[in-house]
Amino acid sequence: ALSVLKKQIVDKGVKVETFLIEGDVSEQIVAKAVESDAGMVVIGNHRHGKLYKFLFDDISTNLTRKAACPVLVVPTDKKRTK
């Protein structure tokens, strides 16, 4: 699925790099962005309720606070997801 999405974006002339990471997600993304001198991090954001956000780490919020480069958070639309 990720490779298909990457191909669609690359076919439009956008440079894209994808990575599989392990560990604390937001820390690993920030470290990878620094290592690769990323100009921007793009991340999807699922709409979870307050209880979920209380119990689990909010990755997109952590990224926007920690990253040195801009972070684009793209909300997902569950109605359009197939």
Side-chain angles (χ1 to χ4, degrees):
L2 184 59
S3 60
V4 172
L5 181 58
K6 178 180 179 179
K7 183 180 179 333
Q8 290 173 349
I9 296 169
V10 169
D11 287 348
K12 294 184 183 204
V14 178
K15 180 183 175 190
V16 176
E17 294 182 60
T18 57
F19 305 95
L20 177 61
I21 58 174
E22 294 180 0
D24 181 276
V25 177
S26 57
E27 287 181 15
Q28 293 297 322
I29 293 172
V30 168
K32 194 62 172 176
V34 169
E35 176 187 319
S36 62
D37 196 28
M40 177 181 286
V41 172
V42 180
I43 186 169
N45 184 12
H46 301 280
R47 294 183 182 134
H48 295 294
K50 292 178 183 179
L51 179 59
Y52 183 92
K53 287 185 177 188
F54 175 75
L55 294 174
F56 299 101
D57 193 22
D58 187 355
I59 297 166
S60 59
T61 299
N62 286 338
L63 278 176
T64 57
R65 291 181 181 154
K66 296 177 181 179
C69 64
V71 176
L72 175 62
V73 180
V74 181
T76 59
D77 184 354
K78 290 183 180 181
K79 293 179 183 175
R80 296 178 65 190
T81 303
K82 294 181 181 177

